[in-house]
Amino acid sequence: MLNRFTADYLDALGNADFRPAPKVAGRLASYDGLLMEAVGLTLPVGTVCQVGEKGTGVEAEVIGFRNGRTLLMNLGGPAALLPQMPVRPTGAPGEAEVGDALLGRVVDGAGHPIDSLGPIRGAKHWPLAGKLQSPLDRGRVLEPLDVGVRAINGLLTIGKGQRVGIMAGSGVGKSVLLGMMVRAAKADVIVIGLIGERSREVADFLETKVAGEARKRSVVVAVPANHSPVLRIRGALRATAIAEAFRDEGKNVLLIMDSLTRVAHAGREIGLALGEPASARGYPPSAIAMLPNLIERAGTDVNTGGAITAIYTVLADGDDGNDPVVDSARSILDGHIVLSRALAEHAVYPAIDVSKSVSRVMTDIAVKPHVNAARVLRRHLATYEENRDLVLMGAYRAGADPAIDAAIAYHPAVMEFIRQDSDASVSLDDAATELIGVFGDG
């Protein structure tokens, strides 16, 4: 029995097409705390490498080449690295774990679970950069999505498959508004990318925004601000890839990314480290060019019937609405919601500046009476804002202009319609009914 097994085993080895491959390794030639240069190995961009011995070294990702050297960026923290330390590839570039195995889990930018629930088993794989789609494979946005916020449901109606940006300066209420929308939105799967934000907000978001039943159908990719810029970009790509895989199964996915600006900041760090020239506000061209590639991956798929409704927060540095990231995102998104610091200072929450916000698909997904009532409210608000200084100074005499009189009369109702408690939820039907009831005759 043993002799027969040995003979069969040796015969199999002799017939096998066995080609031994050498273990690829290079040497560390330069390191300045973030950017590394290695010699002696040729690897594709995106490959993850181990620098130094396992346990004492760090992981780094190949980001480019220069003068025959391979450029890598540190994915971990500080380590006791020395010149000529070995650099070995540990994994092929560009794949993310996806599928139902990730539901209810929290992973980092490299896909490692950080929720103390053990390893992720049975996951499928999807390219980090996504699969290129034809424009004709993208369906139109024709079905409204209830997000539970009266001002958005009524005045900036969002549709399934739409890409929307929440734009504001720091501390105006982006994350609170995002939480209100996550709690109320009806979706098969919720994918949340917390990119470049405070570590404290990760646990807070999990406990307050996606608690209970929502947690079981959600996937969270958390890469706080103190992580490597490469990991921050990988986190954004990973969250989008996970959403794409669920859409490919025909599911309705809500993708939340907080924030798109931190992704651009990570791209800026990498671009400047590679020697790219800084252009607008210090952003190299590659950092801004990366945003459309990321945003365009969301949307509907006519082949599977699935859809990714994407909501991105965009931080306007210095409350500047013409910031390069804000301007680039606004040009590619299907709508944007602008939050006003002035409204927040007057305790109007959510502080949505209706006059500067728009949903580019609202006329396709809302009924005509609803659209007309929203236009009436906008007209009254615009008239009031144009003449606000005259009214407050007492320079306007009542009865001089019927449009101004109507705007002044309706202004309390307008503010009441926008204002909503953070723990309250107003359905799409209720918001439309209230809007038509108050402003439908205007």
Side-chain angles (χ1 to χ4, degrees), residues 102 105-109 111-114 120 219-223 238 242:
L102 274 79
R105 303 301 302 269
V106 184
V107 299
D108 63 10
H112 302 141
I114 56 174
I120 297 172
V219 183
V220 179
V221 181
V223 192
R238 187 173 301 277
I242 293 170

Side-chain angles (χ1 to χ4, degrees), residues 20-26 40-41 43 50 52-54 86-90:
K23 194 170 185 179
V24 179
L41 79 168
L43 299 169
Q50 176 71 33
E53 299 302 328
K54 196 165 186 178
V87 180
R88 299 186 180 92
T90 60

Side-chain angles (χ1 to χ4, degrees), residues 303-385:
N303 298 317
T304 66
I308 299 175
T309 306
I311 302 174
Y312 304 94
T313 64
V314 185
L315 175 65
D317 289 332
D319 289 347
D320 184 4
N322 295 317
D323 179 83
V325 177
V326 175
D327 194 49
S328 177
R330 188 167 48 218
S331 67
I332 199 72
L333 290 168
D334 301 320
H336 53 273
I337 301 167
V338 178
L339 303 187
S340 166
R341 189 173 299 277
L343 288 175
E345 289 171 351
H346 286 85
V348 177
Y349 292 104
I352 298 174
D353 190 338
V354 175
S355 61
K356 295 180 180 177
S357 305
V358 67
S359 172
R360 297 178 181 175
V361 303
M362 181 175 175
T363 54
D364 296 329
I365 59 178
V367 296
K368 195 161 187 179
H370 179 182
V371 174
N372 291 338
R375 287 173 178 167
V376 170
L377 185 148
R378 283 176 172 274
R379 187 171 68 243
H380 287 320
L381 182 59
T383 302
Y384 182 88
E385 292 299 331

Side-chain angles (χ1 to χ4, degrees), residues 180-218:
M180 294 171 67
M181 299 169 75
V182 169
R183 282 194 298 269
K186 303 296 187 295
D188 299 324
V189 179
I190 302 171
V191 181
I192 302 165
L194 301 176
I195 312 299
E197 296 298 319
R198 294 177 288 272
S199 299
R200 175 190 61 80
E201 288 190 342
V202 176
D204 180 72
F205 203 98
L206 291 174
E207 293 177 11
T208 61
K209 275 73 171 184
V210 288
E213 288 297 317
R215 180 72 181 273
K216 297 177 183 177
R217 53 189 172 92
S218 67

Side-chain angles (χ1 to χ4, degrees), residues 6 9 39-40 73 118 138 147-148 150 156 164 181 192 203 214 222 235 239 262 284 299 374 423 434 437 442:
T6 305
Y9 180 70
V39 295
M73 187 157 282
R138 293 297 176 85
V147 295
R150 181 169 47 227
L156 306 162
V164 183
M181 299 169 75
I192 302 165
R262 305 300 186 192
D423 57 351
E434 184 178 341

Side-chain angles (χ1 to χ4, degrees), residues 138-143 160-161 300 302 364:
R138 293 297 176 85
R140 294 178 61 202
V141 179
L142 298 173
E143 188 178 349
K160 291 181 181 177
T300 58
V302 296
D364 296 329

